[in-house]
Amino acid sequence: MASQLHHARLVRVVGWAAIAIAMTGCVTVYQPLVGLQRPIAVDPQSPNTFTSTRVLLRCHPAEGVEPDVLCRNLRSSLTKQGATVTTEVVRPSARAAAATPSENPPQYIIDITSKLIHQHDDPLLAVLCAFSFTLVPAISEMTYGQEISIRDAQGFMLAQQSLQERFVESFGLGVWALNGLIDLIIRPKDEQVTGDGYKAEFTRDLHGHLAQLLYNAKVRARVMNSFAPEAITEKPKGTSP
Amino acid sequence: MRPLLLLLLLPACAIDPLYFKSRAERRNLDCYRLSQTDAAERFPGQVPPPPGKQIAGDNTDVLTCSTRYVQTAERPARDEAILSTLTRQVTGLTETASALVDPGALWHVDAFYPSLPVAQKIAVAARTLLAERGLPVSDRVPTLAAGDVAVLATLPQSDVYRIACARSYSTAVMAEGDVFLGLMIVDAKETILHGGICQRGEWRWLP
Amino acid sequence: MTRALLFASIVALASTARGEDDVDLRERQLDLLRAEVGSQVQLQAAELIDELVYGWTLRAPFDVDTGVVLAGVSVPVSLGTGLEAYLENHLAGLVTRNPRTHVQLVHCPACSAWVVHSGSKGTVVTRGFDAPEALSQAGLSSGAKHALFLDFEAEGSSLVLRARITTLDTTLRIVSARTLSTATSAPAMLRESERLTSVAEARKEYLEALGGRGLFLVPVRVGVRSYAPGTQTQINAAPFLWVSAGLEAAFSQARAWTASMNAAFSWLPQSHVAVMAQGRIARLLTGNTTSLTWPDVYGFVGAGVLFGSGRGMLIFRNTNPTIDEIINTSTNNDPRATLGILTLGLELRVKNRISLIGYLETLPALETTDNIGTFIDFGIRFQSFGVEVAFCF
């Protein structure tokens, strides 16, 4: 009888734990630290901002960030704005490829390094989270930084910027449920913290600032070349040589 | 039940202040990281000094945030972007300009920007920086005749400054020993300043 | 069912209200932010002028007393012009009280007025100080030979002052220029205008004010402890009025952790006389360091020993008091009790001077007795609830 009661109690506890973990979500808050909160003047949604602009995007690997994913996302953003983008993930162990003459060499070379600068996970909260079936949230904080530089084809530095952002992630049923309720009742749509709103906000900031930086670099190149029009070397499609 | 309720209070000790800030508040902060030792020195009433055993291998840092004086949406985006970085940009341009000009020249400075108040801020920043560097600076802005200005307004960017510079010397608006530093934007959607110097009738863009 | 309906209607109303008030909410948030920063701009701008004038006292821009026209004070783009008048007055007050600067402000209304000047080269419309020759021709010149310009600009979280003194002649040469900046995170030093000091000295005074708080305090507490009524007895413990004094030590200037020992005394005629020795360890809950401007909240745990004698102590034992014991009037045979106490509480303290304390106590020795009831049971029976007011010296 006692063992049956014990078994029933164990099943009940495990059941509640499973429900709690299944319902658990993450609440992530994004905070721009350096540069990302500054306003921009270009519209990153405009498809004509970088028409006839050829860009080589080089992503350098660093701790905590996948350069392939970074290159892919940024390439997509610049392509939507009319640029012709080639990407290169710079591997420190790979030998430098021999320079092959290209029909349409890039006009601008963007070097971007994104790395994890600071990370903090509270071990006490993690333990409490486990023992409380995620009622007490486990909180981790991460700060990332990006170093972006843009040069022209001759290697002359046109623009440079450092960006930093911070993400505070809380994992747990209690914090997720409470914030979900507040999001439903009180917070306006663009203030909501549950869901992936933080990703969209950060992406908007990063892509916007990259677009602004490239635009500034283009204008600077134009001024340095005494306002000479950019040489168009790309052959129009459909014409015979 | 009561222990459960008590347990729910524990997260209050760990909640980051970010949760209580709106999106506008979060974006109106300038933040940077300092080691706890440096932070305790700079903010003695707010950051406690690290324990002695931690100082030698100090790896605790403090996130220091300051509220921006003017909120992000208060000023037009381009104006805000330029004014936020005004000192840095103007310092770079004046340093480059002063390296290219003879030490004894008398400096005149003006800014060309769509918004007059912002243009005045840019010009004042440049004049003050040049004067602090010990260079002779005049507050007077060389002014061409109204007819010349009307003609210059019709010229493209690539020519206007060059021709205005030549005209200034030919009409004796500027003397031989004077140099003019112009600060401007060239495109409506850029957020950086360009500079050029006009000396002895020749205009030169700053690198 | 009723509760569910009520909750659902609240959610529906709130959702509707939220949609309509998003814009208003955002405007209110911006207004709050503006108000919060507006006062900081004023303080920080005054701080920059203090620093400028202090620099003049160390290295005066002129060798002798010189008349200077305050030609213009410009504030950050998008901020109102009300600040200009305040800053002009502040500067005038500082310069007047610090004659070592050799700067004497001169009144020249024509200098800041618009002047139309026609000559052989055309008609020029300008401010008076941009065309001093026109002013002198018109006889409107104040006689001052110099003009002072102050320009403030908000660059992110920094407020920058650019000050320049120019000559009031055809050359308009800049004879003195200074750039100063401060950030919202740096507190204003609030220096006295009669006794301007450098930022380093003002900061040293600030640190001394912080350090002067000392690590030790003497808290004197007056409070009341009440005990939950028992279930199996016809008499209940009367509230105990306590007066205590002790010593509190902080482990650092931040006062994040403190420990205290105190001795307390309680007396009620014909009821009891009691003494108690108690120790507490407290942790600051509202940050890592105490605040100079906001109240601090501490959480503490404590342990103590209470010794009391008198009829009022009859309740503090595991057996029920008898009628004989209750009506016993012999003073040679007062009932006595010695108890251990564990305490858990919160303290709201203001400027390390006065605090309000609330706590719960458990008496382990009386865990099983029904003479005293329970206020809250967290698995541990808290039989006593108390409040205190403390004065710290």
Side-chain angles (χ1 to χ4, degrees):
Chain A
M1 181 69 175
S3 64
Q4 279 178 346
L5 283 172
H6 176 74
H7 183 252
R9 185 182 159 85
L10 185 64
V11 166
R12 210 177 319 134
V13 166
V14 169
W16 277 113
I19 291 170
I21 290 165
M23 288 175 63
T24 287
C26 273
V27 174
T28 306
V29 176
Y30 156 67
Q31 181 189 10
L33 294 185
V34 174
L36 282 166
Q37 69 275 55
R38 222 169 281 147
I40 58 174
V42 297
D43 177 12
Q45 307 297 325
S46 167
N48 302 320
T49 309
F50 298 117
T51 310
S52 306
T53 304
R54 297 185 306 281
V55 172
L56 169 62
L57 180 62
R58 298 205 298 205
C59 300
H60 297 255
E63 185 194 340
V65 177
E66 286 294 327
D68 313 60
V69 175
L70 180 66
C71 259
R72 202 164 44 242
N73 290 337
L74 293 176
R75 175 191 180 147
S76 162
S77 169
L78 290 173
T79 305
K80 281 180 192 163
Q81 296 176 71
T84 305
V85 183
T86 48
T87 58
E88 178 186 327
V89 176
V90 178
R91 303 281 177 202
S93 54
R95 291 169 58 185
T100 52
S102 166
E103 224 174 55
N104 296 313
Q107 295 162 304
Y108 306 100
I109 301 165
I110 303 176
D111 284 285
I112 179 165
T113 309
S114 183
K115 62 180 179 183
L116 179 65
I117 293 172
H118 171 89
Q119 184 170 12
H120 177 70
D121 299 307
D122 198 322
L124 176 63
L125 279 178
V127 167
L128 284 174
C129 181
F131 279 110
S132 67
F133 302 129
T134 75
L135 280 174
V136 176
I139 297 181
S140 73
E141 179 203 336
M142 291 154 290
T143 300
Y144 292 91
Q146 289 79 34
E147 297 288 335
I148 307 175
S149 62
I150 302 180
R151 298 171 192 273
D152 64 9
Q154 284 77 42
F156 183 76
M157 177 73 77
L158 295 171
Q160 206 172 5
Q161 192 169 11
S162 298
L163 305 170
Q164 273 190 25
E165 64 281 349
R166 176 171 172 247
F167 299 93
V168 179
E169 187 179 273
S170 303
F171 170 77
L173 172 64
V175 70
W176 177 80
L178 182 63
N179 277 286
L181 196 62
I182 296 174
D183 281 353
L184 184 67
I185 299 175
I186 297 172
R187 288 192 186 118
K189 208 169 170 48
D190 56 355
E191 296 267 357
Q192 292 176 1
V193 294
T194 52
D196 286 343
Y198 72 96
K199 277 187 198 169
E201 193 182 345
F202 169 62
T203 303
R204 202 165 43 241
D205 285 345
L206 180 62
H207 291 187
H209 279 271
L210 181 64
Q212 182 69 68
L213 202 64
L214 180 58
Y215 195 90
N216 290 345
K218 273 192 70 172
V219 178
R220 185 120 195 266
R222 214 169 103 223
V223 171
M224 291 293 97
N225 291 329
S226 302
F227 294 89
E230 286 174 335
I232 300 172
T233 56
E234 189 176 356
K235 292 179 190 169
K237 289 179 186 169
T239 58
S240 56
Chain B
M1 189 60 183
R2 287 199 183 95
L4 194 65
L5 288 172
L6 190 60
L7 209 55
L8 284 176
L9 292 175
L10 280 175
C13 307
I15 290 177
D16 194 280
L18 267 188
Y19 286 109
F20 303 113
K21 289 192 183 301
S22 65
R23 187 165 164 268
E25 283 173 308
R26 286 200 296 271
R27 296 186 74 85
N28 279 303
L29 298 172
D30 280 348
C31 301
Y32 54 95
R33 291 198 174 273
L34 285 177
S35 68
Q36 190 173 354
T37 314
D38 291 338
E41 201 179 303
R42 286 192 60 180
F43 310 105
Q46 293 163 278
V47 179
K53 63 178 179 183
Q54 205 178 328
I55 289 177
D58 183 43
N59 57 2
T60 308
D61 64 359
V62 172
L63 183 68
T64 310
C65 292
S66 311
T67 309
R68 297 166 76 83
Y69 278 99
V70 178
Q71 311 310 315
T72 308
E74 295 272 355
R75 304 193 278 211
R78 187 188 57 206
D79 294 355
E80 177 62 35
I82 286 182
L83 288 172
S84 294
T85 54
L86 184 63
T87 300
R88 183 171 57 79
Q89 291 202 54
V90 173
T91 302
L93 288 168
T94 53
E95 272 177 5
T96 308
S98 59
L100 296 172
V101 172
D102 302 331
L106 178 66
W107 289 80
H108 301 269
V109 181
D110 202 6
F112 306 96
Y113 189 85
S115 164
L116 190 56
V118 178
Q120 285 175 345
K121 297 287 180 179
I122 297 169
V124 164
R127 282 184 207 132
T128 312
L129 279 167
L130 288 170
E132 278 186 294
R133 210 167 272 135
L135 299 171
V137 183
S138 169
D139 233 25
R140 186 176 289 283
V141 176
T143 314
L144 292 169
D148 290 339
V149 173
V151 170
L152 287 169
T154 62
L155 298 177
Q157 290 261 5
S158 52
D159 297 328
V160 66
Y161 298 104
R162 179 176 54 81
I163 293 174
C165 176
R167 187 74 181 153
S168 297
Y169 278 90
S170 65
T171 55
V173 167
M174 285 180 61
E176 273 301 310
D178 292 353
V179 63
F180 174 80
L181 170 65
L183 301 164
M184 71 288 291
I185 58 170
V186 161
D187 189 285
K189 287 193 279 186
E190 66 173 335
T191 57
I192 53 168
L193 292 172
H194 302 278
I197 46 176
C198 170
Q199 192 175 24
R200 297 188 201 98
E202 285 185 16
W203 175 260
R204 181 178 175 180
W205 289 100
L206 295 176
Chain C
M1 180 64 176
T2 312
R3 280 186 198 168
L5 279 174
L6 184 63
F7 180 72
S9 56
I10 289 171
V11 169
L13 278 172
S15 302
T16 313
R18 185 194 73 183
E20 291 167 355
D21 291 338
D22 278 1
V23 174
D24 289 342
L25 179 65
R26 215 164 284 125
E27 278 301 317
R28 273 201 296 278
Q29 284 172 350
L30 275 177
D31 284 341
L32 282 172
L33 287 171
R34 282 191 203 109
E36 186 187 320
V37 179
S39 54
Q40 284 198 16
V41 173
Q42 207 163 343
L43 274 181
Q44 299 288 0
E47 166 78 10
L48 288 170
I49 293 181
D50 290 348
E51 185 61 24
L52 176 71
V53 174
Y54 174 72
W56 287 347
T57 61
L58 295 180
R59 192 188 298 181
F62 307 104
D63 296 326
V64 295
D65 290 349
T66 305
V68 176
V69 173
L70 182 56
V73 176
S74 53
V75 295
V77 175
S78 91
L79 287 191
T81 53
L83 185 58
E84 293 174 1
Y86 165 75
L87 294 174
E88 283 181 20
N89 288 336
H90 187 72
L91 174 73
L94 278 175
V95 164
T96 307
R97 293 189 186 94
N98 291 277
R100 281 185 298 160
T101 61
H102 295 309
V103 170
Q104 288 181 338
L105 292 179
V106 173
H107 186 55
C108 177
C111 295
S112 52
W114 285 101
V115 172
V116 180
H117 178 228
S118 292
S120 57
K121 292 188 180 174
T123 299
V124 179
V125 180
T126 182
R127 294 262 189 200
F129 47 70
D130 283 329
E133 63 278 12
L135 285 183
S136 61
Q137 278 181 13
L140 296 172
S141 174
S142 62
K145 297 278 189 285
H146 295 87
L148 169 66
F149 297 84
L150 297 180
D151 178 271
F152 290 89
E153 187 47 57
E155 297 182 18
S157 60
S158 296
L159 188 66
V160 181
L161 164 62
R162 295 181 175 94
R164 69 189 190 279
I165 299 178
T166 69
T167 56
L168 269 181
D169 56 24
T170 52
T171 62
L172 295 178
R173 284 282 294 267
I174 297 177
V175 296
S176 171
R178 189 106 189 262
T179 304
L180 296 161
S181 72
T182 184
T184 52
S185 56
M189 291 291 116
L190 300 177
R191 291 171 268 192
E192 295 175 25
S193 52
E194 287 88 7
R195 195 180 64 88
L196 280 178
T197 54
S198 68
V199 169
E201 285 165 356
R203 190 182 152 85
K204 189 163 164 275
E205 287 173 13
Y206 170 61
L207 286 173
E208 279 167 6
L210 283 180
R213 291 186 286 184
L215 291 176
F216 295 98
L217 286 176
V218 175
V220 173
R221 300 186 187 124
V222 176
V224 166
R225 269 182 181 82
S226 63
Y227 296 91
T231 54
Q232 299 295 331
T233 176
Q234 293 173 347
I235 62 169
N236 296 314
F240 280 48
L241 182 68
W242 291 91
V243 175
S244 70
L247 184 68
E248 181 186 285
F251 295 122
S252 69
Q253 280 295 336
R255 306 193 77 85
W257 288 94
T258 62
S260 64
M261 286 287 301
N262 60 281
F265 175 76
S266 175
W267 174 63
L268 192 64
Q270 297 183 352
S271 174
H272 67 267
V273 174
V275 293
M276 180 169 59
Q278 191 180 49
R280 289 179 185 173
I281 293 180
R283 171 70 169 106
L284 182 66
L285 299 179
T286 50
N288 288 322
T289 183
T290 55
S291 169
L292 288 176
T293 50
W294 290 94
D296 302 305
V297 176
Y298 284 87
F300 64 85
V301 294
V305 173
L306 182 154
F307 173 77
S309 70
R311 206 175 301 173
M313 304 306 296
L314 276 172
I315 207 74
F316 294 99
R317 62 187 197 186
N318 286 314
T319 54
N320 289 335
T322 62
I323 296 294
D324 289 335
E325 287 171 324
I326 291 168
I327 62 175
N328 179 19
T329 57
S330 167
T331 57
N332 292 330
N333 196 21
D334 274 344
R336 295 193 173 120
T338 303
L339 300 166
I341 299 172
L342 297 175
T343 312
L344 182 68
L346 288 174
E347 180 179 357
L348 178 71
R349 183 178 287 191
V350 179
K351 282 292 298 285
N352 291 315
R353 287 287 173 258
I354 187 167
S355 53
L356 181 65
I357 303 166
Y359 53 82
L360 293 165
E361 286 182 332
T362 178
L363 309 168
L366 303 179
E367 188 70 19
T368 54
T369 185
D370 292 326
N371 288 347
I372 298 177
T374 304
F375 277 119
I376 291 179
D377 189 349
F378 280 134
I380 301 172
R381 285 179 61 200
F382 287 96
Q383 299 118 323
S384 166
F385 171 71
V387 288
E388 287 175 344
V389 173
F391 302 92
C392 303
F393 302 97

